[in-house]
Amino acid sequence: MAEVKLNRLIKYRGIAGILLLVAALLLALAQISYDPFDLGLYQDPPNNPPHNFIGPFGAWSAMVLFHIWGVTAWILPVAILGFGILCLSMYPGRVLPKAGWILA
């Protein structure tokens, strides 16, 4: 019974790890290619097509992160990447409490 539960936990942690790695990559690409003129807030009409690699969603997400956290928003993709790697590793302990420490 415990072995089945452990195998299920490893499977879910693997899926979560892969999703987190993809999210970190997309967020990093959105921040790298951020151009404020992709949004209608800064230029009318906005760039068509958007210069952001991820498109309008990437432009908006990068803008929101940069406005909330400024330059420290660059830490978020790195933290998500670290948490994704931690989920994919064979770390035997609980992973979720480590997320708070990674973000802190």
Side-chain angles (χ1 to χ4, degrees), residues 48-84:
N48 192 12
H51 296 156
N52 197 298
F53 295 146
I54 310 301
F57 180 75
W60 278 99
S61 62
M63 188 266 307
V64 167
L65 287 174
F66 285 138
H67 278 257
I68 291 174
W69 286 316
V71 177
T72 57
W74 287 103
I75 295 172
L76 191 60
V78 175
I80 294 173
L81 178 74
F83 190 54

Side-chain angles (χ1 to χ4, degrees), residues 21-54:
L21 292 178
V22 169
L25 176 68
L26 290 176
L27 187 58
L29 285 174
Q31 288 180 348
I32 287 169
S33 62
Y34 174 65
D35 182 9
F37 300 117
D38 286 344
L39 306 171
L41 297 173
Y42 301 108
Q43 176 178 326
D44 189 35
N47 293 338
N48 192 12
H51 296 156
N52 197 298
F53 295 146
I54 310 301

Side-chain angles (χ1 to χ4, degrees), residues 13-28 77-89:
R13 280 176 51 176
I15 292 170
I18 291 171
L19 290 176
L20 287 170
L21 292 178
V22 169
L25 176 68
L26 290 176
L27 187 58
V78 175
I80 294 173
L81 178 74
F83 190 54
I85 291 171
L86 185 65
C87 285
L88 287 175
S89 71

